[in-house]
Amino acid sequence: MKKIGLAVVFVTTMFTLAATAAFASNPKYVFFFLGDGMANAQIQATEAYLTTANGDSATLATDLQKSENRLKMTQMPVHGMQMTYDAYALMTDSASSATAFSCGIKTKNGVINMNPESTVSYKSVAQLAHEKGMKVGVISSVSLDHATPAAYYASVPSRDNYADIEIQLAESGYEFFGGGGLKKYDTDEAVQTAIEENGYTILNDRESIMALNNEPMDKVICINPWLQDSSAMPYAIDRPETNVSLAEMTQVAISVLHGDNEEQNNKNSSGQNSLNGFFFSRQNSHNGFFLMVEGGKIDWACHANDAMAAIGDTLAFDDAVGVALEFYKKYPNDTLIIVTGDHETGGMTIGHATTKYGAHYEKLLGQTNSFVYFNQEVLPKFACRDSLSADSDMLEKIYEKFGLVYSDLNDYQKEKLDDAYVQSVCGGNTNSEAKNTYLYGGYDALTVTLTHILNENASIGWTSYSHTGVPVSVFATGADAELFNGFYDNTDIAKKIAEALNIHESLPVLK
């Protein structure tokens, strides 16, 4: 009897220890969502727009606070704040900020996963996760060799070294890449060879990409069929149905990284497993995954001071977060989701000098396409007339695409538009170069003036065409989410992710 009693105690103790280890373990599934250029102003503007689009008022707190009028990310239980400056600049760029998030070091603008002197290379948390047996996916709405996605697989002294970056993508061995394209793939044989020799399959139509949900494959690069500008996905406001959305691409990535284990996971959660089955499910099921998802064109829209394009892509980014949250509901003890931005772009403000304390987000509802669409599809069809007011066809297009009625504008707004029309359509205005740089920031004069006027009418202002240096919010939920409470440096995000992934090396880790 004593032997039987001891055996029962031993088995009970081992089961208790195993269960404790299982449920107190680090997350198996880690999602890192990065809204490029997305800070508190972009988030607040999007929620104010969403409130208005849902038929409520952006001036009533009770309406703004409704769950359906808020982004999914802002309703996560853990909120933190991170500082964004890099080694030598208060205003970081996306290369140095991505290096902070992926490697845990400060570097200078333009450098990816190397020290400021570009003499030492470091491993990203994605690479470290891959080395410990986790699957890895990288998604971006901009090109897959752009600064932010590149920081999860490449180390280069310049973010512009696209061919080198793409070769390192091929050599990474990661299971999934998706979103935009590759800038050098069509013209660089070395890149083509590297991708082929490393066993990657490229899919570039909606049907074959979406088919991965039912028939997943490893080592796949999913490129959207229509790339709007600089090998990037179109803005959400311009997206055709033939393209794959950021949320859909996130679901495809989950299917690739996790779907091949769905049957085993269902067995393990069915309640039919014995004690031996319990040990099998924890020890022999796959090692989880790390997925980075970037909403990269929030940044591009804010560079161009186009609030509606930025809001549309923030909503699309939040929809992708929603896909991860649905996955989290299935595996709450094993999933960690982190959402943040790398910096603020454009100096967006909630409020404008001409609107005082008012908020008129209903005025944004009239914009139907992005600034890029207007530049590519509308402006080239027009030739110079005596003045904008005499160009009835242009005025009709301005109303169609931006909801602005020329006769309703005040004299100052008309003056700005007339001057921008001459600069954009008629070969140049009489302003100094410095004045035009200040007014238009290198963007098309007419288009950026249209977005400025529309945004100002809605009570949104801009102070820059570049990045600004404000701290950025962090949201988290799931296993180890509490790590992301507090106010900390952007390099701490990589260290916190490494801790959640149970990576034992201290960051930064040399390549």
Side-chain angles (χ1 to χ4, degrees), residues 107-139:
T107 193
K108 67 179 181 180
N109 284 351
V111 176
I112 296 176
N113 292 359
M114 300 183 77
N115 64 343
E117 297 74 31
S118 298
T119 58
V120 180
S121 297
Y122 299 97
K123 295 180 180 180
S124 71
V125 289
Q127 183 176 351
L128 293 168
H130 205 244
E131 289 175 353
K132 70 191 293 282
M134 298 179 76
K135 293 188 175 185
V136 173
V138 175
I139 296 174

Side-chain angles (χ1 to χ4, degrees), residues 34 36 139-142 146 148-149 246 292-296 317 342:
L34 179 64
D36 201 312
I139 296 174
S140 179
S141 62
V142 298
H146 213 256
T148 296
L246 198 65
M292 193 287 295
V293 181
E294 182 197 23
F317 175 73
D342 52 354

